[in-house]
């Protein structure tokens, strides 16, 4: 049994970061290997690692009104532990994301509420966002992945109506909170 993490939406994901995941899944399936894919969504830490500077400089992104159902890495790890230690996951793919999709503007508003300071969301064109990441010292290969992940059409153009539904924002598959009790 081959088990690996992948990206939310798997073969339907349309972000640059998904290219390697799609190719890996295709090789595994085409090779006839028994498998389980854990297709993880966005990690909350992708936003919160910048909390120390965001009240002063704002939240930068290139996601428009797109919604992402982020979850903590620990929750994804808990889901992986269940899959690794229980039966019944052969030749399956689990789409994992948080239950409450949010926009980066909503994230900025929540950060403002907790910090007691105004925090703006600066929605930048993808190229400017990439330049901001490079200027901040993010290594060149990583910002390309990060900027396309944050500005992907699947996030940028996700229907705001997806919030609170059981569908993942990025590609439309079923979405579950990545907690062990919620895995099928």
């Amino acid at each position: 049994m081959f088990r690996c993490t992948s990206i939310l939406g798997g073969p339907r994901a349309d972000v640059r970061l998904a290219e390697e995941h799609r190719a890996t899944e295709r090789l595994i399936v085409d090779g006839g290997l028994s498998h389980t894919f854990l297709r993880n969504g966005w990690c909350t830490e992708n936003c919160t690692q910048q909390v120390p500077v965001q009240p002063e400089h704002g939240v930068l992104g290139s996601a428009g009104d797109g919604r992402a159902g982020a979850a903590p890495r620990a929750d994804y790890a808990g889901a992986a532990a269940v899959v690794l230690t229980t039966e019944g996951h052969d030749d399956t793919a689990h789409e994992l994301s948080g239950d409450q999709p949010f926009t980066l503007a909503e994230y900025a508003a929540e950060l403002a509420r907790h910090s007691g300071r105004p925090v703006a969301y600066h929605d930048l064109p993808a190229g400017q966002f990439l330049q901001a990441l490079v200027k901040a010292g993010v290594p060149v290969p990583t910002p390309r992945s990060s900027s396309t992940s944050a500005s992907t059409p699947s996030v940028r153009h996700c229907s705001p109506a997806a919030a609170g539904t059981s569908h993942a924002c990025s590609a439309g598959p079923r979405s579950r909170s990545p907690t062990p009790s919620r895995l099928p």
Side-chain angles (χ1 to χ4, degrees):
M1 169 63 71
F2 189 83
R3 295 183 173 127
C4 71
T5 59
S6 189
I7 194 165
L8 189 64
R12 296 171 313 282
D14 64 352
V15 295
R16 182 178 294 165
L17 184 61
E19 292 171 8
E20 292 177 13
H21 293 286
R22 284 192 311 262
T24 300
E25 284 192 27
R26 189 173 41 254
L27 287 170
I28 292 167
V29 171
D30 290 351
L33 297 171
S34 182
H35 61 275
T36 303
F37 300 130
L38 293 168
R39 295 179 177 155
N40 295 339
W42 199 246
C43 296
T44 54
E45 292 86 352
N46 291 337
C47 292
T48 61
Q49 66 188 358
Q50 298 302 316
V51 164
V53 298
Q54 287 170 332
E56 183 178 341
H57 299 287
V59 175
L60 298 182
S62 185
D65 292 328
R67 303 180 84 73
R73 286 184 182 118
D75 286 354
Y76 292 120
V82 169
V83 168
L84 291 170
T85 60
T86 61
E87 299 295 321
H89 304 284
D90 295 358
D91 298 323
T92 61
H94 296 290
E95 304 283 347
L96 304 172
S97 71
D99 289 334
Q100 298 296 319
F102 58 91
T103 67
L104 289 179
E106 290 168 340
Y107 167 74
E110 188 66 13
L111 184 57
R113 188 175 75 79
H114 285 280
S115 69
R117 299 172 57 186
V119 179
Y121 168 53
H122 305 285
D123 187 43
L124 304 173
Q128 286 182 1
F129 182 52
L130 176 63
Q131 290 173 353
L133 291 174
V134 170
K135 184 177 178 182
V138 178
V140 173
T142 303
R144 286 197 183 106
S145 297
S146 298
S147 67
T148 55
S149 294
S151 65
T152 178
S154 63
V155 172
R156 181 175 283 282
H157 301 296
C158 182
S159 168
T165 70
S166 62
H167 294 87
C169 180
S170 66
R174 282 188 354 168
S175 173
R176 292 175 287 280
S177 174
T179 56
S181 62
R182 298 281 304 272
L183 271 175

